[in-house]
C-alpha cells in the first residue's frame, strides 16, 4: 500500500533530522464516530510528518483524507481490523496545521493539530 512507503520515508527522515516542534497527539472516541482516532504533526525546519491513527471495535472500511494549510496531501480508503491500530503517515513541506477527516458507515469526524 502507498501509505507504507510514506511511513518508511518518514521514519528514515525522523531518524536523520532533529525534531524542533511536535504537536501533541489527539486520541479519543469522537462524538458519533465509531472508532478512536488521533492525529500528530511532527515538524523540523523543513518538513512536517503527519500521522493519523485509527482503532475500531469491529472491522470497518475507513476513508481517510489528510490536509495541511488547506491543501489535500493524501486521500485513501483502508480496512481497519477490529481492535488493531492502523496508521497512515505522510511527509510534506513544513505546515502549521494539519487535519484529518475520516468517514465510515455514514459517520465522519475531523481532527486538527493545534
Amino acid at each position: 500500500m502507498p501509505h507504507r512507503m510514506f511511513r518508511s520515508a518518514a521514519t528514515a527522515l525522523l531518524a536523520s533530522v532533529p525534531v524542533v516542534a511536535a504537536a501533541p497527539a489527539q486520541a479519543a472516541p469522537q462524538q458519533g464516530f465509531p472508532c478512536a482516532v488521533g492525529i500528530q504533526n511532527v515538524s523540523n525546519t523543513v518538513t512536517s510528518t503527519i500521522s493519523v491513527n485509527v482503532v475500531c471495535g469491529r472491522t470497518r472500511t475507513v476513508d481517510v483524507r489528510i490536509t495541511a494549510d488547506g491543501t489535500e496531501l493524501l486521500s485513501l480508503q483502508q480496512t481497519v481490523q477490529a481492535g488493531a491500530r492502523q496508521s497512515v503517515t505522510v511527509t510534506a513541506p513544513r505546515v502549521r496545521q494539519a487535519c484529518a477527516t475520516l468517514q465510515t458507515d455514514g459517520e465522519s469526524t475531523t481532527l486538527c493539530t493545534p
Side-chain angles (χ1 to χ4, degrees), residues 2 4 14 19 21 23 25 28-29 31 37 44 50 57 60 62 73 84-85 88 90 95-96 98-99 103 107 114:
R4 291 179 194 252
L14 289 175
V19 174
Q31 187 78 13
V37 297
N44 61 38
I50 300 116
R60 297 176 182 272
V62 179
L73 301 176
R85 183 176 119 183
V88 177
V90 63
V95 298
R96 288 186 291 173
C99 295
Q103 185 172 8
E107 299 291 335

Side-chain angles (χ1 to χ4, degrees), residues 64-108:
V64 180
R65 181 174 177 252
I66 300 174
T67 59
D69 296 335
T71 301
E72 183 174 287
L73 301 176
L74 178 72
S75 181
L76 60 82
Q77 184 178 75
Q78 61 184 166
T79 300
V80 178
Q81 298 298 322
R85 183 176 119 183
Q86 186 74 33
S87 297
V88 177
T89 300
V90 63
T91 300
R94 186 179 172 95
V95 298
R96 288 186 291 173
Q97 184 179 52
C99 295
T101 300
L102 295 91
Q103 185 172 8
T104 187
D105 297 336
E107 299 291 335
S108 66

Side-chain angles (χ1 to χ4, degrees), residues 8-71:
S8 296
T11 301
L13 177 67
L14 289 175
S16 64
V17 179
V19 174
V20 289
Q26 299 174 1
Q30 303 301 305
Q31 187 78 13
F33 195 72
C35 304
V37 297
I39 186 170
Q40 183 175 20
N41 179 7
V42 179
S43 297
N44 61 38
T45 57
V46 179
T47 62
S48 294
T49 300
I50 300 116
S51 298
V52 177
N53 299 304
V54 184
V55 178
C56 300
R58 67 175 178 86
T59 300
R60 297 176 182 272
T61 299
V62 179
D63 295 318
V64 180
R65 181 174 177 252
I66 300 174
T67 59
D69 296 335
T71 301

